[in-house]
Amino acid sequence: MKGELKVGIVGAPRGSGFVRAIQTVTETELVTICDINKQILEDRSKQFGIERKYTEYEEMADSDLDIIIVATPMPLHVPQAVMALKKGKHVLTEVPAATDLEQCWQLVQAVKESGCKYMMAENYTYMKPNVLIREMAHKGIFGETYFGEGEYIHELKGLNEITKWRRKWQTGRNGCTYPTHSLGPVMQWFKDRVATVCCLGSGHHYKDPRGDFYENEDSTFMICKMVRGGQINVRLDMLSDRPHNLTYYSLQGTKGCYEAPRGFGDDHKIWLKDYHKEIKWYSLWDFEAKFMPEMWRNPPEEALRAGHGGGDYFEIRDFVDCIVKETKPPVDVYDALDMTVPGLVSELSINNGGIPVPVPDFRNINKFPDDLPDILRNSNMISVQL
Ligand SMILES: NC(=O)c1ccc[n+]([C@@H]2O[C@H](COP(=O)([O-])OP(=O)(O)OC[C@H]3O[C@@H](n4cnc5c(N)ncnc54)[C@H](O)[C@@H]3O)[C@@H](O)[C@H]2O)c1
């Protein structure tokens, strides 16, 4: 079925990151791009040789597409996904899935009613070391997993002024406002979801160019108590002056542990009770030959050029597979909300001295907002307008 699935992208800058992958996957054809910024639209469509372009999203959503990739600012993910689903399109949206609880509910309803596939593009779950650790964790190599960490340290004060939505939705709210890259992979290793979060921050030490302190504290720490009793700690820092580290993770189980590098010559390291006599670090890559899943063994050359070390290619490949084979998307709407909602409700925790806040499971919400825990039903997390 070469090129049978027609793809449109809304939000050209980040959306461009998917182009090589769409062109590499044989079943898909990129036919159009939409962006309200005419200059960006012109530049990107020229770059990729796309003739059909839109500045009005609804017009694109009304057209003969099979798949829409939503790569616009965070608060638009749900409205644009819902519109596409209602028009019978399969949807891949950027992270996070939603910006308030009402949006989560709307998204679930639209997915259920549409019969179409929805997936959240949590690309860090496709990164090579994360895929290898997932495979090993699911095979029980770490024993029972009970502690993990994820850190996303990405100083973006300058980017806030160019992509102004970030100044509202990422640094203009308090709490863990961009959680999915850190939480997503570790949650998959655990095969569990977050039951409760407590969130605290390190205070406010930076001001924007207008002289206002950022509403988001410099480093926020979200402690996630998992349903089965384990714990994942998530650190988010978009403000501190320092080098980036977007991909620090760790995992502890009853039979071993893993730590990602924090840079400066460090590598992915592991210790496993059943494999190592001495208690010291060994290279994760010693286990690549035995445990690396098939998709990462012989990736096509084009895949490796597709962005995020090949992760963007595998993400599109998986999304297309779930459409073609009619299977569950690897990060479906409920998985997407499991990765997103802890961050949303962390705002209530951090604004109330770090109190524990329950994380609703949208699989069990039949009536909204009635079925939410009291603390959330009576909070301003239901609908957030900035
Ligand atoms: N997964 C990742 O690694 C990753 C990386 C970067 C960004 N992102 C996510 O991608 C999204 C976009 O981020 P970005 O850095 O490209 O932001 P950006 O501001 O550079 O791009 C957003 C684009 O959307 C366009 N847009 C805004 N409203 C629109 C509308 N109503 N209709 C059509 N176009 C509209 C803007 O003109 C702009 O060109 C965000 O949600 C962000 O969280 C994810």
Side-chain angles (χ1 to χ4, degrees):
M1 57 181 299
K2 196 170 181 322
E4 268 182 28
L5 296 168
K6 295 196 193 76
V7 184
I9 290 174
V10 60
R14 169 63 191 143
S16 301
F18 295 98
V19 171
R20 200 185 279 273
I22 296 166
Q23 289 169 342
T24 304
V25 170
T26 50
E27 297 94 328
T28 51
E29 185 194 355
L30 179 64
V31 294
T32 182
I33 303 181
C34 169
D35 201 296
I36 48 168
N37 183 316
K38 284 189 182 146
Q39 192 57 55
I40 291 177
L41 181 63
E42 199 54 46
D43 292 350
R44 298 302 169 114
S45 41
K46 203 167 171 188
Q47 181 186 352
F48 300 119
I50 303 296
E51 283 176 14
R52 206 168 116 190
K53 41 198 183 224
Y54 296 91
T55 49
E56 277 295 320
Y57 174 65
E58 191 161 4
E59 269 181 48
M60 183 176 92
D62 273 330
S63 71
D64 61 341
L65 299 171
D66 302 289
I67 294 174
I68 291 184
I69 297 183
V70 177
T72 45
M74 285 164 54
L76 295 179
H77 297 173
V78 167
Q80 292 184 333
V82 167
M83 185 185 285
L85 290 162
K86 285 192 170 155
K87 293 175 191 289
K89 319 294 182 199
H90 305 291
V91 174
L92 182 74
T93 76
E94 257 307 337
V95 301
T99 48
D100 61 38
L101 296 173
E102 194 160 40
Q103 280 201 346
C104 297
W105 173 248
Q106 289 165 354
L107 185 62
V108 169
Q109 297 316 299
V111 173
K112 279 209 264 194
E113 285 162 16
S114 72
C116 296
K117 300 293 181 188
Y118 165 89
M119 176 164 150
M120 185 177 77
E122 186 22 85
N123 48 338
Y124 286 45
T125 64
Y126 283 90
M127 288 177 174
K128 191 173 177 179
N130 293 346
V131 170
L132 179 55
I133 295 293
R134 182 174 65 212
E135 188 73 7
M136 293 172 70
H138 290 185
K139 285 197 156 79
I141 307 298
F142 293 96
E144 186 188 340
T145 53
Y146 59 86
F147 179 75
E149 295 168 291
E151 287 182 9
Y152 185 83
I153 300 180
H154 183 192
E155 190 279 315
L156 45 69
K157 295 192 286 295
L159 190 60
N160 264 299
E161 301 305 313
I162 302 164
T163 56
K164 294 188 188 306
W165 60 269
R166 281 192 167 83
R167 179 65 190 90
K168 285 187 179 181
W169 296 95
Q170 293 191 340
T171 60
R173 293 173 77 170
N174 208 0
C176 193
T177 55
Y178 195 65
T180 69
H181 293 330
S182 313
L183 182 58
V186 188
M187 226 173 59
Q188 285 190 342
W189 302 342
F190 270 60
K191 271 197 178 173
D192 199 0
R193 56 177 301 282
V194 181
T196 310
V197 295
C198 294
C199 190
L200 287 168
S202 60
H204 304 267
H205 296 89
Y206 298 90
K207 289 180 181 173
D208 70 14
R210 290 156 296 283
D212 298 322
F213 280 112
Y214 294 92
E215 287 76 5
N216 199 218
E217 294 183 45
D218 313 317
S219 263
T220 61
F221 292 83
M222 178 170 75
I223 298 176
C224 303
K225 187 73 180 163
M226 308 303 284
V227 170
R228 286 202 305 273
Q231 181 174 319
I232 299 176
N233 290 356
V234 173
R235 176 182 176 192
L236 174 70
D237 188 328
M238 296 176 284
L239 298 168
S240 297
D241 289 332
R242 51 156 294 152
H244 296 171
N245 189 353
L246 283 59
T247 53
Y248 177 74
Y249 302 97
S250 79
L251 179 66
Q252 179 70 55
T254 51
K255 288 167 70 175
C257 55
Y258 158 72
E259 281 187 11
R262 278 196 163 107
F264 216 58
D266 194 8
D267 198 358
H268 297 268
K269 47 201 185 296
I270 195 163
W271 175 78
L272 296 170
K273 213 179 227 173
D274 292 345
Y275 290 81
H276 300 126
K277 285 204 178 81
E278 271 186 79
I279 301 188
K280 61 171 201 166
W281 289 119
Y282 294 82
S283 172
L284 168 66
W285 304 116
D286 296 344
F287 293 84
E288 186 176 355
K290 193 168 162 71
F291 292 110
M292 187 58 85
E294 192 51 41
M295 72 174 189
W296 265 109
R297 280 181 190 268
N298 295 302
E301 194 55 30
E302 300 88 329
L304 295 178
R305 290 201 295 263
H308 291 94
D312 289 359
Y313 165 81
F314 293 118
E315 184 172 71
I316 295 289
R317 178 68 268 163
D318 260 7
F319 183 54
V320 170
D321 276 349
C322 84
I323 296 169
V324 174
K325 297 177 184 165
E326 295 187 18
T327 51
K328 174 192 172 303
V331 183
D332 73 3
V333 66
Y334 295 116
D335 302 328
L337 295 182
D338 286 345
M339 294 175 191
T340 299
V341 177
L344 296 180
V345 305
S346 74
E347 188 171 345
L348 195 60
S349 175
I350 201 167
N351 287 343
N352 290 281
I355 55 164
V357 176
V359 177
D361 182 350
F362 275 80
R363 295 165 190 84
N364 303 328
I365 306 285
N366 298 311
K367 205 163 173 229
F368 185 89
D370 309 44
D371 291 348
L372 289 176
D374 290 350
I375 187 173
L376 292 173
R377 198 175 53 246
N378 302 322
S379 77
N380 55 1
M381 296 299 109
I382 303 280
S383 174
V384 178
Q385 314 289 330
L386 297 180

